[in-house]
Amino acid sequence: MAFFPCNSSYPGMLGELYSAAFTAPAFNWICSPAVTELETIVLDWMADLYGLPSCYKSTSEGGGVIQGSASEAVVTVMIAARDRYLKDATKHIADEKEREDAFYARRTRLVALGSTMAHSSTQKAAQIAGVRFRAVPAPEEEGYRMTGSALKETVEQCLADGLEPFYLTATL
């Protein structure tokens, strides 16, 4: 949950009160259904506040979870992208065993991309997800920006090496 080091102020006391009230193993619905439901509702409110389409809400295929850090979010998103990519790439195989074999064989060729200026969390997430990582150059003369031509060149090199790019971290 949260840590509020100053409980001598009114906001600090409220933060401590809320934190103590909700301190629970809130990592899934089975352990803490109330916190999980609250998280779902609050994230739907956020989608409404940002004016996002309904596909981003829990009532559709969207929804979300609150992560403890940006690095956790990168790992979560990369694993979701990996699994969705592999599921879509192997859904045409009718036999379950053949589909599973193709799923894991194809997984060895997946590569995540991020610019040389992206946070190291992308490369670490690739290690956790069991996929490769390739850096897209972002040279000084380009203002340390990843360009479309550098991305295209990196993707083409990956494809030439028999790899399948499935993920890109864009740094803004």
Side-chain angles (χ1 to χ4, degrees), residues 95-162:
D95 182 67
E96 189 175 330
K97 185 180 179 333
E98 285 180 30
R99 187 172 50 252
E100 182 182 21
D101 289 345
F103 185 97
Y104 287 105
R106 197 165 196 154
R107 184 173 164 177
T108 63
R109 298 193 314 259
L110 295 184
V111 61
L113 305 174
S115 83
T116 53
M117 295 293 116
H119 191 271
S120 63
S121 62
T122 301
Q123 188 169 4
K124 291 174 185 175
Q127 290 174 331
I128 292 168
V131 299
R132 301 169 197 231
F133 174 80
R134 294 289 184 270
V136 180
E140 180 181 2
E141 57 270 9
E142 292 293 339
Y144 302 106
R145 293 184 303 254
M146 176 174 54
T147 63
S149 59
L151 177 60
K152 181 180 178 188
E153 187 177 312
T154 303
V155 168
E156 287 172 349
Q157 183 60 54
C158 288
L159 294 173
D161 293 341

Side-chain angles (χ1 to χ4, degrees), residues 41-57:
I41 291 167
V42 169
L43 289 171
D44 282 350
W45 289 345
M46 295 300 295
D48 287 339
L49 284 171
Y50 286 121
L52 297 174
S54 63
C55 65
Y56 286 93
K57 296 176 72 173

